[in-house]
Amino acid sequence: MKAFVVEKYDKDGVRAAEVPEPAVGDRDVLVRVSATSINPLDKMVRNGEFKQLLKYKRPFVLGHDVAGVVTRVGSAVRHFKVGDEVYARPRDLRIGGFAEFVAIHEDDVSPKPQSLTFQEAAAVPLVALAAWQILVERARVQPGQKVLVHAGSGGLGSTVVQLARHLGATVATTTGPGTEELVKSLGADLVIDFTKEDFSKVLSGYDLVLDSVGGANLKKSLTVLKPGGLAISVVGPPDAGFAKQLGAPSFLRVVMNALSRKIRKQARSLGVRYEFLFMRASGSQLRELAGLYDSGRLRPVIDRVFPFDQTLDAMAHVEQGRTKAGKVVVSMVPEND
């Protein structure tokens, strides 16, 4: 089958290749991929940023999002059948969305939202799961709480804004010129153009901040939290919880804690908390999220669709910052096929 594989850990380490179709385990479903999408995590894995924790055997197929049709099921699969339309974020060490077929453990798979096309559904899994795990699992956001979402027009940010609003939170977001109306339409109550205004000068008393920018932005985010508030970053620095989640040995947990010691100390001095989130696969959460998409509470935001043979161009489009809003999707077939 055709695929895009990581041959070496490097910015030019991905190439098009012909590889065997994946083996299908007892609890796997084989999915013919209709569409996938580009995530910052693809670049991070390609560059080897997590190679001490995620020990992929190269060459391996890249790609963390999948929407497609089940073509084969393992002998122990009980919840899916051939012909089912599904979407998924395959678990770590079993990714492979940049290919014609991918074998996925059935626990990571969900029926595709009926209201979404394959291209729309492919834009959803990773960012929707991250949003759910931030707002529902970690922060347990309640009606009336205040949530700040950085980069609210991005793939993750646009999803978090919508889900936070659905949960009853008051939502502020930072965004750039030209996307203010978009984030307002997604449910943002307060929109700050980061090119004109410093959010830390105008916001205070927030229960939760989602940081997807890092650096100085994360440090300033701590200052807008109320006492006991929580800042969650998806770009780091990582903490011991991340290493534990991936089953890393204890010495790596110490290393991860050291990397985040400075920001955690700053948080403590302000009476707030800091956590790093590395989202995980979950078919059951995707089922709940599918209901929110089908009810119209959530909608995907798509910047552009590339054909499969231009997957490297799609990655470059994202890495070079040319995305105006939302996700970049890669489609295997025309949407009307």
Side-chain angles (χ1 to χ4, degrees), residues 31 51 57 70-71 88 107 114 124 131 134 149 169 174 179 183 192 207 210 212 234 265-266 268 270 281 311:
V31 177
K51 63 184 179 182
K57 183 179 179 181
V70 175
T71 60
D107 286 352
Q114 295 180 1
V124 167
I134 290 165
V149 182
T174 58
T179 55
V183 294
I192 297 173
D207 297 276
L210 166 63
S212 57
V234 294
K265 183 178 179 180
Q266 290 173 334
R268 283 195 303 272
L270 293 167
T311 297

Side-chain angles (χ1 to χ4, degrees), residues 116 119-121 123-124 158-159 162 186 293 298-302 326:
L116 301 186
Q119 291 180 5
E120 291 170 333
V124 167
S158 62
T159 310
Q162 294 177 78
L186 297 175
Y293 282 96
L298 302 179
R299 63 181 173 93
V301 177
I302 295 177

Side-chain angles (χ1 to χ4, degrees), residues 274-291:
Y274 166 78
E275 294 180 5
F276 173 71
L277 183 125
F278 189 83
M279 59 75 56
R280 70 182 193 284
S282 174
S284 61
Q285 290 179 359
L286 284 177
R287 286 176 183 266
E288 292 195 57
L289 286 157

